[in-house]
Amino acid sequence: MAGAGPLDQSVALSWITRWDAQQQVYMPDREERFTALIDAVAEGTGRPDPLVLDLGCGPGSLAVRLLDQLPAATVIAVDADPLLLALGRSAASTTSADLRFADHDLRVPGWSAALGLDRLADAAVSTTALHWLSPEALAAMYAEVATVLRPGGLLLNGDHLAEDESAAPTLARLGRALVEREEQRRAPQGPRETWTGWWDAVRADPALTELVAARERSSVESEHHGSPSGRLDVHVAALRAAGFTEVGTLWQRGDNRLLCAVRGT
């Protein structure tokens, strides 16, 4: 990161621990969804050393868990947020030789070629990230993923993907209600730290001042909540248009689901 000094690993780990804690409240089945996704990579790629692309990786929570379970894998974690990338790089700097963080914006065509892959990837994965893309950017991104994914390779996306309310209003309402009820059971007093609170605390930490400034200069912030890309049908249509054949939900609680797509041959 130009202009930003090295970040202490203990500082990075502390902030990622807080990140995981606040994420867990909004996604009470987060760890179960991680496990389902990693199991699908292990079973679906058919090899102990898959090459995996982590799209919209944030600070690397999924990538680290994947390598814990599949230590022979290689993971390339892609994001455009300079602060989250710095946290992930610093936290993993001495522990994950097969984890590489790549600074690329998934909205900008050509990000996949810039990765410099020496072979086609076996899987592309993502969790709670792709809903912030516009439907047009999402379709273009899925089409680009298809060009670097081997035939039969998997696209696995864990996210809140709701039914279309105009077509299935009851299913859409119940899908969200199931998640909200589980949130209430697990955190009846509400989250100890919210998403907004985590970012406010980050901005107040002197150790992160330069990274916060770098983030503010970037274009990663997006008003993505309520985006049409939070709908299941938008993802399914974009995946099929990109040449993925089988598309379906492997794991689910309400609208929190693991969507799987298989690249056509």
Side-chain angles (χ1 to χ4, degrees):
M1 173 60 57
L7 185 61
D8 184 83
Q9 187 181 50
S10 64
V11 171
L13 287 169
S14 174
W15 279 110
I16 292 174
T17 297
R18 286 177 65 170
W19 168 275
D20 285 340
Q22 58 89 7
Q23 291 276 292
Q24 186 73 28
V25 174
Y26 297 110
M27 293 164 282
D29 299 300
R30 183 173 183 249
E31 294 297 335
E32 290 88 341
R33 193 176 71 189
F34 278 146
T35 298
L37 187 154
I38 294 166
D39 283 348
V41 171
E43 180 68 25
T45 60
R47 55 187 298 168
D49 60 344
L51 173 59
V52 182
L53 308 182
D54 183 0
L55 308 175
C57 64
S61 298
L62 170 60
V64 168
R65 285 164 174 77
L66 196 151
L67 283 166
D68 283 343
Q69 297 302 312
L70 299 173
T74 297
V75 179
I76 301 176
V78 185
D79 208 297
D81 189 313
L83 189 145
L84 296 180
L85 285 171
L87 292 178
R89 286 187 178 116
S90 297
S93 60
T94 61
T95 57
S96 299
D98 292 318
L99 171 57
R100 172 163 70 90
F101 287 89
D103 184 358
H104 298 296
D105 191 331
L106 296 173
R107 298 169 295 184
V108 178
W111 60 266
S112 61
L115 296 177
L117 303 181
D118 59 7
R119 66 180 178 90
L120 293 175
D122 299 290
V125 302
S126 186
T127 56
T128 324
L130 302 182
H131 61 268
W132 61 267
L133 294 171
S134 70
E136 296 76 19
L138 182 74
M141 188 276 299
Y142 278 149
E144 192 159 339
V145 169
T147 68
V148 292
L149 196 62
R150 66 169 174 80
L154 303 179
L155 184 290
L156 294 156
N157 181 22
D159 209 338
H160 290 285
L161 299 176
E163 300 284 351
D164 180 358
E165 287 197 31
S166 64
T170 302
L171 290 178
R173 178 178 64 81
L174 290 176
R176 184 59 203 152
L178 263 61
V179 176
E180 290 173 347
R181 284 173 174 265
E182 187 61 19
E183 289 173 359
Q184 181 63 24
R185 278 192 289 269
R186 298 203 192 189
Q189 304 306 316
R192 285 180 293 178
E193 183 168 60
T194 64
W195 165 269
T196 301
W198 188 89
W199 282 108
D200 288 344
V202 161
R203 294 184 187 100
D205 186 345
L208 301 178
T209 298
E210 293 182 28
L211 287 167
V212 168
R215 186 174 195 271
E216 291 175 351
R217 291 192 299 269
S218 72
S219 60
V220 296
E221 283 285 7
S222 177
E223 293 296 329
H224 59 271
H225 295 290
S227 161
S229 294
R231 283 207 337 245
L232 175 63
D233 63 321
V234 172
H235 287 259
V236 171
L239 286 163
R240 293 200 181 281
F244 290 86
T245 51
E246 302 174 53
V247 181
T249 296
L250 287 182
W251 174 99
Q252 181 176 12
R253 180 196 286 271
D255 65 11
N256 180 16
R257 70 182 75 226
L258 176 61
L259 185 65
C260 179
V262 182
R263 186 192 182 285
T265 57

